[in-house]
Amino acid sequence: MNNRYELAEIVLTEKELKKRVAELGKQIAEDYKGEPIVAICVLKGAAVFMTDLVRAIDGDVRLDFMAVSSYGASTKSSGVVRILKDLDGPIVGKNLLIVEDIIDSGLTLSYLRENLIARGPKSVRICTLLDKPARRKANITPDYVGFTIPDKFIVGYGLDVAEQFRNLPYIANVIDHGPDVG
Ligand code: IMP
Ligand code: MG
């Protein structure tokens, strides 16, 4: 009744997500050859992907979490990033795997990557479930990509619009009925 956002068609099914996450985990385990990894989840969007991904990596994987926010609540990233929650532990000499839900302009991740590199890790790689290269502004190339998708706003499997739909086990397009609904 008072719901502004309506789910449209499914873009990625639960089955497709599961299969691809398993492939990514296998690839990552092979590439790191038993070297310990610190997987860094970028909250909140990457939380669902992160928990599935780390269980698909056969190896020494530690978990840490960061929350960042671009200013404003718009669906367009401003490139100005605030750290809302920092890592719990030091990362000097560690192999970092930044786990993201989606790279759009790349501005968020570009900031985050520089911030983490400044702390002296051994290596930094990026694993993103989704890549939307159409609107890229920052020079960011992820090392691992689940799916490359067109420039449409999507939700589910951790991704939200106004905090809604993160718990969907699939990914779908949304219709925005505008602020006057309800
Ligand atoms: P960027 O700085 O433009 O790369 O912004 C990336 C962040 O914007 C992601 O981590 C998401 O939180 C959000 N975002 C970008 N596109 C979408 C989308 O289609 N659905 C939901 N969130 C999105
Ligand atoms: Mg995010």
Side-chain angles (χ1 to χ4, degrees):
M1 187 193 86
N2 56 358
N3 214 337
R4 168 172 175 173
Y5 302 102
E6 187 193 339
L7 290 175
E9 76 276 15
I10 293 182
V11 175
L12 292 163
T13 65
E14 189 170 2
K15 198 175 163 193
E16 287 170 324
L17 289 166
K18 200 171 174 177
K19 179 167 176 277
R20 187 67 189 121
V21 172
E23 288 169 0
L24 286 172
K26 197 160 174 275
Q27 176 79 55
I28 290 166
E30 276 173 28
D31 290 355
Y32 281 88
K33 299 180 175 67
E35 285 238 4
I37 303 169
V38 180
I40 296 176
C41 174
V42 186
L43 294 169
K44 302 172 203 173
V48 175
F49 173 45
M50 170 86 159
T51 58
D52 283 343
L53 181 70
V54 295
R55 282 179 289 179
I57 303 172
D58 181 11
D60 181 346
V61 183
R62 318 280 166 104
L63 275 55
D64 211 332
F65 298 85
M66 259 184 114
V68 296
S69 164
S70 31
Y71 282 99
S74 100
T75 52
K76 291 215 173 70
S77 195
S78 62
V80 184
V81 175
R82 245 176 343 144
I83 294 181
L84 304 178
K85 184 226 171 291
D86 207 344
L87 299 174
D88 287 340
I91 52 169
V92 183
K94 306 272 173 74
N95 297 302
L96 309 185
L97 182 65
I98 304 175
V99 180
E100 251 293 24
D101 51 357
I102 185 165
I103 306 180
D104 187 13
S105 72
L107 294 168
T108 309
L109 212 48
S110 172
Y111 171 88
L112 196 59
R113 182 180 58 182
E114 293 316 307
N115 182 290
L116 293 173
I117 286 172
R119 305 182 200 189
K122 183 176 175 190
S123 67
V124 179
R125 285 188 192 170
I126 295 168
C127 177
T128 188
L129 177 66
L130 304 165
D131 189 11
K132 259 191 204 173
R135 295 203 308 167
R136 194 63 41 85
K137 285 194 201 126
N139 180 21
I140 280 268
T141 308
D143 301 274
Y144 303 97
V145 176
F147 302 90
T148 301
I149 58 165
D151 181 20
K152 275 197 180 162
F153 200 80
I154 42 102
V155 295
Y157 199 68
L159 291 122
D160 73 309
V161 62
E163 295 300 323
Q164 242 187 295
F165 305 120
R166 291 194 196 275
N167 61 315
L168 296 179
Y170 52 84
I171 287 176
N173 286 323
V174 277
I175 298 166
D176 184 353
H177 291 294
D180 299 330
V181 175

